[in-house]
Amino acid sequence: MSGNMIPHQSIRPQVLPADRLLANGLAIPAVRAQLRKIPDSRNALSVVAVWFWMAFVIGVVVKIDRPWAWLAGVIVMSSIHARLLILMHEAAHKLLFTKKRTNDFVGTWLIAYPGWTPISVYRRSHFAHHREEFGPDEPDIPFYAGYRTSPRVLGRRLLRDAVGISGWKNLTPLFKGLRRASSRPAAAGILGAQAVMFAVMWAATGRWYTWVVLWFGSWMTGWRVTNRLRAIAEHGGLGHSSDRRATTHHVRQSLLARFWMVPYNTGWHLAHHVDMGIPFRNLPAFHAELVAAGYVTPELTYRSYLQLWKALASEGRDRWRPVLTVA
């Protein structure tokens, strides 16, 4: 069900080990020590900034108070959900803060639970993803399988996301989790965080439906579209391999994409899969090391996410060919 977009071996040169990289792609110890430093203060500002931008969007929407503004707010809020997800991903990797207690507390109560995610479950699942992409324990196969596909099939999946069908499928396990002792604390924590957000938004705006429309509505709809597009851009159409270049796409990063869909350098996803212990702020620098060593080449790089999505929805055309880009 996957693997028909794996780049040909001819454009995956065997260049490792190199001067600054080991045979497995990791940086040599001296370089790796620098790349793995966690900037606590800057990451704290990132967490504060997410909540600031959430409040700012809500304030603008309520100030304008027109139907089109509420609709625009639902769409823009998907970028806030993306930020929470990526910061939660960083916390799940224990890379948000140096101290584990701070990392887990902030990652749980200020990021994951407001973002509707049980971080402990996510951490176990995500580490399984990293251990062996497309392996027998890969938890994310439903996202990545079946590419290439046709534009019609991809459009149907995105439509299900946009109208809340996918969101409902992700919501029901949360309520089921309240019935099980093992999952009840996380489920209750998530619902409690949402209740607090509901109350605060109502009190701050004077409208009971602010949380319903802008936060819950965005999570159920626009965020689902954004999340699918990001996920398939990371691994769609690839397959099992010890070579990370055959399991993870690389896309040239634009300011719009980084703002909307892949904030906090998550678009340098190939570098993240080569070394998942590098904090997000240092991924561009590590990617530059991979490029300098000849591990990542222009032929492996998609010029844009739009180009990659078109390739993912090009079933029936010729098999994937190297995509030449401007470095």
Side-chain angles (χ1 to χ4, degrees):
M1 295 183 68
S2 297
N4 60 3
M5 291 182 67
I6 295 176
H8 193 271
Q9 185 67 51
S10 62
I11 60 171
R12 290 187 280 134
Q14 302 305 305
V15 296
L16 301 180
D19 290 342
R20 293 166 63 88
L21 299 178
L22 303 174
N24 59 2
L26 301 180
I28 60 175
V31 176
R32 194 181 190 199
Q34 292 298 315
L35 291 172
R36 285 200 160 200
K37 288 184 177 179
I38 299 173
D40 289 330
S41 298
R42 295 180 69 189
N43 287 355
L45 287 175
S46 294
V47 175
V48 172
V50 171
W51 287 93
F52 169 82
W53 285 115
M54 185 192 304
F56 178 79
V57 171
I58 293 171
V60 170
V61 169
V62 172
K63 179 70 174 178
I64 298 173
D65 201 18
R66 295 288 188 273
W68 65 263
W70 287 89
L71 177 59
V74 170
I75 296 171
V76 173
M77 272 296 184
S78 66
S79 70
I80 305 297
H81 282 290
R83 281 161 172 73
L84 282 181
L85 173 75
I86 301 308
L87 288 178
M88 187 270 296
H89 167 267
E90 198 76 358
H93 276 280
K94 304 177 183 179
L95 299 174
L96 191 60
F97 294 103
T98 304
K99 293 184 178 179
K100 183 180 184 300
R101 179 176 296 181
T102 304
N103 180 88
D104 288 354
F105 179 84
V106 174
T108 298
W109 292 103
L110 296 183
I111 300 173
Y113 285 0
W116 297 89
T117 306
I119 189 171
S120 58
V121 176
Y122 175 85
R123 179 177 280 157
R124 291 193 299 271
S125 173
H126 189 66
F127 276 27
H129 165 64
H130 272 281
R131 279 195 299 272
E132 192 176 13
E133 299 97 327
F134 297 94
D137 298 322
E138 170 66 82
D140 297 328
I141 282 293
F143 262 126
Y144 312 141
Y147 294 95
R148 300 182 177 191
T149 190
S150 67
R152 182 177 180 180
V153 170
L154 178 57
R156 186 167 63 244
R157 292 172 183 171
L158 294 175
L159 179 61
R160 288 201 303 266
D161 296 335
V163 300
I165 296 174
S166 301
W168 180 252
K169 289 174 65 176
N170 282 268
L171 185 64
T172 50
L174 178 63
F175 292 102
K176 292 179 180 178
L178 291 172
R179 306 173 191 167
R180 298 189 297 270
S182 60
S183 57
R184 188 175 300 126
I190 292 171
L191 294 175
Q194 299 306 318
V196 171
M197 294 178 72
F198 171 79
V200 170
M201 290 184 190
W202 186 356
T205 66
R207 294 162 173 81
W208 66 266
Y209 50 83
T210 300
W211 174 90
V212 176
V213 175
L214 294 181
W215 193 244
F216 179 66
S218 178
W219 184 79
M220 287 285 287
T221 59
W223 157 240
R224 294 291 149 193
V225 174
T226 301
N227 191 44
R228 184 181 299 277
L229 289 173
R230 177 196 53 80
I232 64 176
E234 291 173 352
H235 303 286
L238 299 178
H240 182 265
S241 175
S242 59
D243 186 342
R244 301 300 190 208
R245 296 169 296 181
T247 67
T248 309
H249 293 296
H250 175 62
V251 185
R252 186 199 300 173
Q253 297 299 288
S254 67
L255 289 177
L256 179 60
R258 292 174 65 185
F259 169 80
W260 195 266
M261 186 181 62
V262 285
Y264 306 122
N265 296 334
T266 194
W268 279 271
H269 205 64
L270 176 57
H272 172 62
H273 271 266
V274 175
D275 188 348
M276 68 175 182
I278 294 179
F280 75 86
R281 296 188 188 278
N282 296 332
L283 286 177
F286 182 49
H287 175 79
E289 295 283 353
L290 297 173
V291 172
Y295 183 82
V296 177
T297 63
E299 292 80 8
L300 286 169
T301 305
Y302 285 90
R303 292 190 298 270
S304 67
Y305 284 96
L306 182 59
Q307 183 191 38
L308 176 51
W309 292 328
K310 286 181 177 179
L312 287 163
S314 61
E315 186 180 59
R317 301 177 186 176
D318 293 339
R319 287 178 61 84
W320 187 86
R321 295 179 180 178
V323 179
L324 297 176
T325 66
V326 179

